Amino acid sequence: MSPAMMIDAHGRKINYLRLSVTDRCNLRCRYCMPADGFPLLPRGEILSYEELFLIARTAVSLGIEKIRVTGGEPLIRRDILGFLSRLAGIPGLRQLVLTTNGLLLEEMAAPMKSAGVQRLNISIDSLDPQNFRRITRRGGITRVLAGIASAERAGFPIKLNMVVMRGVNDHEVVDFAALTLDKAYTVRFIEFMPSGGEEGDWRSQVVPGREILDRIADRYPFDEIDRRELAGPAKDFRIRGAAGTIGVITPISGHFCGDCNRIRVTASGIARGCLFSDAETDLKPSLRGNDPSELEKLLLRIVGTKPDRHRLCSDDPGKRPLGMSRVGG
């Protein structure tokens, strides 16, 4: 089937699949879920590796070139390395990447590299142990830092994602940017956005991307750099003379939807064209009915009905999404 069919109604080429493998997580980040977590899906609702692989293989045959494995926390799922190795072997897949909170990375980095994972995104929202514990409600910053070092030794390019929250960790923005001075790290600053688990007025916690950059510019001059092919929604910059780069992702203050190239599938087989979309399709019937042609049709339908932009750009955001751990955000 022609990859040209993966062009949505707004002319965007859809070549990026975010594939969640679990709704479970070993942290309880305050911006992601309530303190007690969300009710977990029954085991029977979670797709098997075979079903997840069929989705991935079918998506690549339709034109997907990049797959990001997400959760919850993907590294807590048993036998994840074998699944990653199978994904890496799909003909036509150009990039296999994974997002992790880093708690299990010290032991898993080298095996993941051997399995064929090419890049990692490591979520870390504070460099201060006490603040890290407040944000995650669990702690473990020492393990995360050890995991980053292990990933670096394994040969992974290091990309760190920081969700910036006003009054919580925004005072650490410049410290995070400074991580790129001597190491070829990529540090991404992400505007806070609602997940259903946050406390209070979510808009009061948003630090706009422009403000984030202004704070960094007060300390370090920087220049914008070109985005790489298959890149995500960030605008990227380099502090002058730095080894690494910084970037901002601005879903609230400056929506990036015009360049969005992704679709999402949750660990329970729910496919969406947008994290904040009401339109979703359950892929389980086609998977469990062993109907590959129906699966193709459903994935193409998700592409065809992908909205032009998410509702957080409007005055009435409407229905908020399920928590990040449930949607594989």
Side-chain angles (χ1 to χ4, degrees):
M1 193 171 292
S2 170
M5 299 185 71
M6 295 289 274
I7 304 294
D8 73 5
H10 311 287
R12 297 170 297 197
K13 179 182 178 181
I14 308 304
N15 58 4
Y16 178 2
L17 169 66
R18 294 181 64 101
L19 184 65
S20 174
V21 297
T22 182
D23 67 336
R24 289 155 170 79
C25 189
N26 45 7
L27 293 178
R28 292 291 182 271
C29 295
R30 58 185 291 170
Y31 60 83
C32 186
M33 62 178 75
D36 295 330
F38 288 105
L40 296 176
L41 294 170
R43 294 284 183 180
E45 289 295 303
I46 301 295
L47 299 184
S48 68
Y49 279 138
E50 196 59 43
E51 291 167 332
L52 290 164
F53 180 76
L54 180 57
I55 292 171
R57 186 179 65 189
T58 302
V60 172
S61 75
L62 295 174
I64 291 295
E65 299 173 283
K66 175 180 178 179
I67 293 177
R68 177 177 301 282
V69 176
T70 70
E73 170 50 46
L75 296 187
I76 68 174
R77 182 157 177 178
R78 186 177 300 177
D79 300 324
I80 186 67
L81 291 172
F83 176 64
L84 294 172
S85 181
R86 290 191 69 194
L87 288 182
I90 297 176
L93 182 63
R94 295 178 57 191
Q95 282 192 24
L96 176 61
V97 297
L98 180 141
T99 293
T100 176
N101 61 31
L103 283 178
L104 301 177
L105 195 52
E106 185 175 12
E107 301 83 7
M108 299 284 283
M112 277 198 295
K113 187 69 172 176
S114 297
V117 177
Q118 295 158 286
R119 294 179 176 272
L120 298 174
N121 276 18
I122 304 166
S123 298
I124 176 171
D125 301 308
S126 177
L127 299 172
D128 174 76
Q130 291 185 341
N131 203 30
F132 184 88
R133 179 173 291 277
R134 282 193 292 269
I135 293 169
T136 64
R137 303 190 181 102
R138 290 291 188 274
I141 183 65
T142 301
R143 292 171 61 189
V144 175
L145 295 176
I148 293 170
S150 179
E152 194 171 5
R153 289 193 300 271
F156 281 109
I158 302 300
K159 180 183 290 186
L160 307 179
N161 285 347
M162 177 195 189
V163 175
V164 182
M165 295 165 279
R166 191 177 300 281
V168 177
N169 63 352
D170 56 320
H171 61 285
E172 297 188 62
V173 162
V174 174
D175 293 335
F176 268 85
L179 295 176
T180 70
L181 295 176
D182 299 320
K183 288 182 173 288
Y185 287 179
T186 297
V187 174
R188 294 279 175 83
F189 301 100
I190 304 171
E191 288 179 345
F192 176 86
M193 55 185 175
S195 67
E198 68 282 343
E199 302 168 354
D201 175 17
W202 67 267
R203 291 188 184 274
S204 68
Q205 298 183 62
V206 176
V207 182
R210 183 68 261 169
E211 181 179 337
I212 292 170
L213 291 175
D214 285 345
R215 293 192 190 191
I216 297 170
D218 285 343
R219 179 73 177 273
Y220 302 113
F222 56 78
D223 301 297
E224 188 167 0
I225 58 177
D226 292 335
R227 301 173 66 209
R228 298 183 305 275
E229 187 181 8
L230 295 179
K235 292 183 179 180
D236 294 323
F237 307 85
R238 188 186 303 275
I239 294 172
R240 292 173 189 170
T245 64
I246 59 174
V248 292
I249 298 177
T250 55
I252 306 301
S253 68
H255 76 87
F256 46 73
C257 303
D259 297 323
C260 185
N261 62 342
R262 74 199 65 183
I263 57 174
R264 300 167 178 266
V265 177
T266 72
S268 60
I270 302 301
R272 283 179 171 179
C274 175
L275 175 62
F276 294 94
S277 175
D278 289 330
E280 57 185 32
T281 299
D282 189 352
L283 303 180
K284 286 193 296 295
S286 64
L287 293 167
R288 296 176 179 178
N290 195 26
D291 189 349
S293 63
E294 181 64 18
L295 178 59
E296 289 183 353
K297 291 177 185 177
L298 293 178
L299 290 173
L300 290 171
R301 181 188 303 168
I302 289 296
V303 171
T305 58
K306 185 174 171 65
D308 62 336
R309 60 194 296 176
H310 62 67
R311 285 186 305 276
L312 296 185
C313 300
S314 68
D315 292 333
D316 179 14
K319 176 184 172 185
R320 295 194 308 183
L322 297 171
M324 295 297 186
S325 67
R326 297 294 297 277
V327 298

